[in-house]
């Protein structure tokens, strides 16, 4: 708890020092604002528990906010059944923010609280609690003179604040956890094209996961996404934009005592639709994702749907 209080205090101090910094990604002449940050709503940072959608939003250049993120999966009840009958629900409520330190460098942070549930033949199983803290530095690598093209990169770390339950890895989905129990590291790259009322974001990130104290290591993860935005309405105070795109995730095998575990690797591809709106300093957004392809945990887990909604305040 002392660590959490210290981290929150540091973030608040940074916010107070960063209010006067303006992000050059703001194009005020057409009121279409896009920023880059890591929207990493991580249910557990592994296998069928991650909801990372990369860098994307139509928000103010700097903000703090709250986001709700829900994921639904179908899994095998146990190793002796063929059908996917078990419903698993990953729910996350997270505090997040993006704070500029200079014109080119920003810090992104998210602190999740998870409340997960899976329905088994023996009864419902629920876990809830704080998750792992995500921190990332985002640097603007390139910005064209006309501001149509922008390239940003990021390096991040996941701090293991969430509880890792060793008993949980014996189930069909070892990702049914509050945290990985490990320090994990991320590199990300984001390209943005923006002109008039249209914007396109293409991003990719890769997470290297390390072994935790229980000698368990979740597989490394690669995410990629492409999202198009169109501003339907907007003026100096109000913006409303629709968005659509695709998102993919690829997971390597988990390991225990450095031995690869079967039926832990997989991949999934989603289509997504959503909107984002802002009024003065307030922003609201929502998104729904449905799988076009899913083959998680060697086919033992099937992705069904994802939904998110957030409210942010510009700082």
């Amino acid at each position: 708890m002392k660590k959490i209080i210290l981290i929150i205090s540091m973030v608040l101090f940074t916010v107070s020092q960063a209010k006067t910094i303006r992000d050059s990604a703001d194009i005020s002449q057409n009121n279409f604002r896009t920023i880059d940050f890591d929207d990493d709503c991580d249910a557990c940072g592994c296998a069928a528990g991650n909801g990372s959608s990369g860098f994307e939003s139509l928000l103010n250049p700097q903000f703090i906010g709250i986001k709700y993120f829900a994921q639904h999966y179908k899994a095998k009840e146990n190793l002796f059944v063929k059908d996917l009958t078990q419903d698993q629900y990953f729910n996350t409520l997270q505090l997040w923010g993006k704070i500029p330190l200079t014109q080119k460098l920003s810090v992104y942070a998210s602190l999740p609280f998870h409340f997960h549930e899976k329905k088994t033949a023996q009864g419902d199983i629920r876990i809830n609690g704080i998750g792992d803290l995500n921190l990332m530095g985002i640097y603007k690598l390139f910005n064209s003179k006309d501001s149509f093209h922008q390239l940003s990169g990021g390096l991040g770390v996941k701090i293991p604040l969430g509880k890792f339950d060793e008993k949980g890895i014996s189930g069909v989905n070892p990702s049914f956890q509050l945290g990985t129990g490990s320090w994990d590291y991320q590199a990300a790259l984001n390209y943005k094209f923006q002109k008039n009322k249209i914007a396109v974001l293409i991003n990719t990130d890769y997470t290297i996961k390390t072994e935790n104290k229980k000698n368990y290591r979740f597989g490394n993860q690669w995410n990629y996404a492409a999202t198009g935005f169109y501003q339907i309405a907007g003026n100096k105070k109000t913006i409303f934009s629709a968005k659509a795109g695709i998102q993919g995730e690829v997971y390597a095998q988990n390991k225990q005592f450095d031995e690869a575990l079967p039926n832990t690797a997989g991949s999934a591809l989603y289509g997504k639709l959503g909107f984002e709106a802002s009024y003065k300093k307030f922003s609201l957004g929502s998104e729904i994702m449905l799988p076009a392809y899913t083959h998680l945990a060697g086919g033992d887990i099937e992705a069904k749907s994802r939904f998110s909604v957030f409210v942010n305040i510009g700082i």
Side-chain angles (χ1 to χ4, degrees):
M1 181 61 69
K2 291 182 179 179
K3 291 182 180 179
I4 298 173
I5 294 174
L6 177 61
I7 292 168
I8 293 174
S9 299
M10 292 174 64
V11 171
L12 292 176
F13 175 77
T14 306
V15 169
S16 67
Q17 298 298 312
K19 286 184 178 180
T20 59
I21 298 175
R22 300 298 177 187
D23 193 310
S24 60
D26 182 5
I27 299 180
S28 57
Q29 64 183 11
N30 55 27
N31 296 305
F32 192 156
R33 300 186 296 271
T34 66
I35 65 166
D36 303 333
F37 66 93
D38 184 30
D39 179 13
D40 185 9
C41 188
D42 192 6
C44 71
C46 44
N50 183 278
S52 173
S53 52
F55 293 6
E56 59 179 81
S57 185
L58 293 176
L59 308 175
N60 294 316
Q62 51 265 3
F63 71 94
I64 55 174
I66 188 168
K67 179 178 181 178
Y68 170 71
F69 186 70
Q71 304 174 78
H72 177 206
Y73 297 90
K74 280 279 192 180
K76 285 187 177 182
E77 183 75 19
N78 55 60
L79 298 177
F80 304 102
V81 298
K82 186 176 182 179
D83 297 330
L84 303 179
T85 58
Q86 184 184 94
D87 287 296
Q88 298 187 351
Y89 300 95
F90 290 75
N91 298 281
T92 299
L93 192 65
Q94 77 172 16
L95 297 174
W96 64 352
K98 179 176 180 284
I99 303 167
L101 301 181
T102 69
Q103 290 294 328
K104 291 188 175 182
L105 180 63
S106 300
V107 173
Y108 166 81
S110 67
L111 182 63
F113 182 87
H114 302 304
F115 42 107
H116 304 331
E117 177 184 8
K118 61 180 179 180
K119 299 182 178 298
T120 72
Q122 292 75 34
D124 296 350
I125 298 176
R126 298 181 178 89
I127 57 174
N128 61 80
I130 192 170
D132 294 337
L133 173 67
N134 286 276
L135 295 173
M136 174 170 280
I138 302 170
Y139 188 78
K140 191 179 299 179
L141 299 171
F142 171 78
N143 189 35
S144 63
K145 292 182 180 180
D146 56 14
S147 295
F148 291 165
H149 305 275
Q150 182 175 300
L151 183 67
S152 299
L155 293 174
V157 61
K158 183 179 66 60
I159 303 172
L161 299 182
K163 180 183 177 182
F164 172 79
D165 185 2
E166 191 174 10
K167 296 179 180 178
I169 62 177
S170 61
V172 173
N173 188 359
S175 301
F176 193 76
Q177 303 279 352
L178 298 176
T180 63
S182 62
W183 289 76
D184 301 333
Y185 305 96
Q186 185 180 53
L189 195 64
N190 168 242
Y191 166 75
K192 177 187 72 177
F193 170 79
Q194 175 182 323
K195 185 176 181 181
N196 299 327
K197 295 183 177 183
I198 296 174
V200 176
L201 297 178
I202 300 173
N203 50 267
T204 183
D205 61 77
Y206 190 82
T207 303
I208 298 174
K209 300 174 185 178
T210 65
E211 187 176 80
N212 61 27
K213 294 180 180 179
K214 301 297 184 179
N215 301 112
Y216 197 89
R217 177 178 175 177
F218 290 97
N220 292 348
Q221 178 180 337
W222 175 45
N223 299 322
Y224 58 92
T227 309
F229 296 85
Y230 182 76
Q231 181 183 312
I232 297 175
N235 53 45
K236 291 183 178 180
K237 293 183 179 181
T238 305
I239 300 171
F240 183 85
S241 297
K243 63 178 180 178
I246 60 171
Q247 176 179 318
E249 300 164 1
V250 181
Y251 305 91
Q253 283 185 304
N254 299 350
K255 293 183 177 181
Q256 189 169 27
F257 294 102
D258 209 30
E259 293 290 333
L261 300 175
N263 296 333
T264 54
S267 61
L269 178 66
Y270 298 84
K272 56 183 179 179
L273 291 172
F275 76 90
E276 296 185 17
S278 67
Y279 176 73
K280 294 183 178 180
K281 291 186 176 182
F282 294 91
S283 298
L284 170 69
S286 184
E287 185 176 84
I288 186 168
M289 297 173 59
L290 296 174
Y293 168 81
T294 171
H295 187 78
L296 299 168
D300 289 346
I301 300 172
E302 178 184 352
K304 301 301 291 184
S305 64
R306 291 176 176 176
F307 170 79
S308 66
V309 61
F310 67 80
V311 177
N312 291 340
I313 301 175
I315 56 175

